[in-house]
Amino acid sequence: MNSGGRSMYTSSFIQNEIINTFGHLIQSQIVRNVRKSNFYSVLADETTDISQIEQFSLCVRYVEDQSYKIREDFLTFVPIYDVIGAGLANTVLKTMSILGLDLKKMRGQGYDGAATIRGQFRRVQASIKEKLPLALYTHCFSHSLNLYLSDASNIPSIRNCMGVIKEVCRFFHMSAKRTEINDIWLLS
């Protein structure tokens, strides 16, 4: 408002502010959608970012209110300082509460199956289940699939097949006409 119409909005500060604002708006909408649902599950995975900060990526899975479609949406990254199971569980529960989600509606929890996560005593799933008995633990099948594909890629015939598929995809995407033909073929 003070720039007189000459603003470019290209500074990193302004761009980060715009990105953060959009992120908060999207997160707020996701939380509103989850609140409308009768129940939800939390999905979490531990990772370390480029600045060597350990963090949880938290996703939520729920049934959409009007369309009855199952949705799975990313919520946030949460820095973690206590990597013991109970500390991780408290981080998950505290974050869900801060976001405004009703913990009593949590019916599931999914993790990648690492030792800290899946253990029975003082681990994340056991700690959460102790506080929320209806939040059942399920091993993350996407993570299992990723591990299977990683192992399978060591088999030469599968690795070669994946390479051929990649080259065919690249061939079609290099030309607008071939992409159009591919799209028509997929629709029929």
Side-chain angles (χ1 to χ4, degrees):
M1 285 194 274
N2 298 331
S3 67
R6 294 185 310 251
S7 296
M8 299 292 289
Y9 304 107
T10 56
S11 75
S12 61
F13 175 78
I14 295 296
Q15 289 181 358
N16 286 335
E17 191 172 320
I18 291 169
I19 290 169
N20 288 333
T21 301
F22 285 150
H24 289 297
L25 290 171
I26 292 168
Q27 184 183 63
S28 297
Q29 183 61 50
I30 291 169
V31 169
R32 275 194 297 278
N33 292 343
V34 174
R35 283 188 196 147
K36 290 178 188 175
S37 183
N38 292 332
F39 49 85
Y40 66 92
S41 294
V42 66
L43 306 167
D45 194 11
E46 187 181 3
T47 184
T48 303
D49 70 6
I50 195 167
S51 60
Q52 300 301 311
I53 296 173
E54 287 190 69
Q55 59 189 1
F56 254 151
S57 60
L58 288 178
C59 297
V60 67
R61 190 170 193 175
Y62 60 99
V63 178
E64 205 169 55
D65 185 40
Q66 298 295 327
S67 66
Y68 299 108
K69 290 182 180 176
I70 296 174
R71 297 274 313 185
E72 190 172 299
D73 294 319
F74 170 77
L75 280 177
T76 189
F77 287 113
V78 183
I80 50 176
Y81 305 102
D82 184 357
V83 294
I84 305 301
L88 293 172
N90 288 334
T91 300
V92 170
L93 296 175
K94 182 178 177 184
T95 302
M96 301 308 270
S97 292
I98 288 171
L99 290 171
L101 296 174
D102 184 0
L103 295 178
K104 293 176 186 167
K105 289 184 174 184
M106 187 188 296
R107 294 295 184 266
Q109 47 180 324
Y111 312 107
D112 68 358
T116 306
I117 302 292
R118 73 167 181 243
Q120 293 300 317
F121 304 104
R122 302 195 66 213
R123 303 292 196 249
V124 176
Q125 64 101 0
S127 296
I128 290 178
K129 186 139 175 71
E130 184 180 304
K131 295 173 185 171
L132 304 167
L134 297 176
L136 301 176
Y137 166 71
T138 304
H139 183 80
C140 179
F141 292 109
S142 296
H143 189 262
S144 295
L145 178 62
N146 186 37
L147 292 175
Y148 293 136
L149 291 174
S150 177
D151 287 345
S153 67
N154 292 331
I155 300 170
S157 58
I158 293 176
R159 187 176 53 238
N160 293 342
C161 177
M162 297 302 280
V164 169
I165 292 170
K166 188 186 296 185
E167 289 300 318
V168 169
C169 290
R170 187 176 298 148
F171 174 77
F172 277 101
H173 288 297
M174 295 301 286
S175 165
K177 285 185 177 184
R178 286 190 295 261
T179 302
E180 184 178 315
I181 291 169
N182 188 39
D183 291 343
I184 291 170
W185 179 77
L186 288 173
L187 292 174
S188 60

